[in-house]
Amino acid sequence: MQMDNLADKVEGKVKEMGGAATDDKSTELEGKAQQVKADVSEKLNELKDKAEKSGGELSDKLKAAGSDLGEKASELGERAKEEASEIAGNVKDAASQIIDSFRN
């Protein structure tokens, strides 16, 4: 696309200069318009490239964040499992003490 823009710029400049040389305002303005169109197209392509790059970087960051969240969730799950096991042991001990107190 850059070659198309360059070709449009050159062609537009030739039309502009030809129109100026022959005092043909219509051709001169057409050449200027063609150059502006090429400049705008070039800027749009640059913005598109930047947006794609930013989107890729954002995607990478989101994937990394998702991976980090997955790791944190796994750690929390393990910790909850350990704490639940400890609580279950405490409940079992307390139940045994209550049963023993009724036996005595």
Side-chain angles (χ1 to χ4, degrees):
M1 287 209 185
Q2 287 180 336
M3 291 303 292
D4 291 340
N5 291 334
L6 181 59
D8 275 342
K9 283 183 184 183
V10 170
E11 186 178 331
K13 190 65 174 174
V14 169
K15 283 182 186 177
E16 177 188 0
M17 292 172 66
T22 61
D23 202 28
D24 181 352
K25 294 294 181 193
S26 176
T27 302
E28 185 178 353
L29 289 175
E30 184 182 334
K32 286 181 180 183
Q34 191 169 356
Q35 291 174 76
V36 169
K37 176 187 167 227
D39 288 338
V40 168
S41 179
E42 187 175 315
K43 294 298 179 191
L44 287 173
N45 286 335
E46 288 174 12
L47 286 173
K48 179 183 164 205
D49 291 344
K50 285 181 182 180
E52 287 174 356
K53 182 180 177 189
S54 295
E57 290 172 358
L58 179 59
S59 177
D60 291 345
K61 287 179 182 179
L62 287 173
K63 286 178 186 173
S67 177
D68 289 346
L69 287 174
E71 289 175 21
K72 298 257 188 240
S74 179
E75 289 171 12
L76 286 174
E78 283 298 315
R79 209 161 91 203
K81 187 176 168 183
E82 290 169 6
E83 289 180 16
S85 179
E86 184 179 333
I87 291 169
N90 291 341
V91 168
K92 183 179 176 184
D93 291 344
S96 292
Q97 288 176 0
I98 292 170
I99 291 171
D100 288 344
S101 73
F102 281 114
R103 288 185 183 160
N104 294 334

